[in-house]
Amino acid sequence: MYVCICAAVSEARVHACILAGARTAEEVGDRCQAGTGCGSCLDRIDDMLEDHTMAATSAA
């Protein structure tokens, strides 16, 4: 599934960026261009970042 249609970035690619250390939507955009076009996907990217943070906190 695509997160960012403008840059054709998949959910898996955004997830990989987050696992590689991206902690903000801007950092995700720097790594894979997601969210750098129209910006309509920024909420989804923020949700993915929050999900990752919550999962990491729960695991600790």
Side-chain angles (χ1 to χ4, degrees), residues 11-57:
E11 191 171 278
R13 179 71 180 121
V14 172
H15 185 67
C17 291
I18 294 169
L19 290 177
R23 295 293 173 254
T24 65
E26 183 177 338
E27 289 176 357
V28 170
D30 289 345
R31 292 171 189 249
C32 68
Q33 303 306 307
T36 61
C38 74
S40 66
C41 61
L42 291 173
D43 287 339
R44 176 67 182 126
I45 295 168
D46 286 336
D47 289 344
M48 292 177 72
L49 287 160
E50 185 177 331
D51 290 347
H52 175 78
T53 300
M54 290 175 63
T57 302

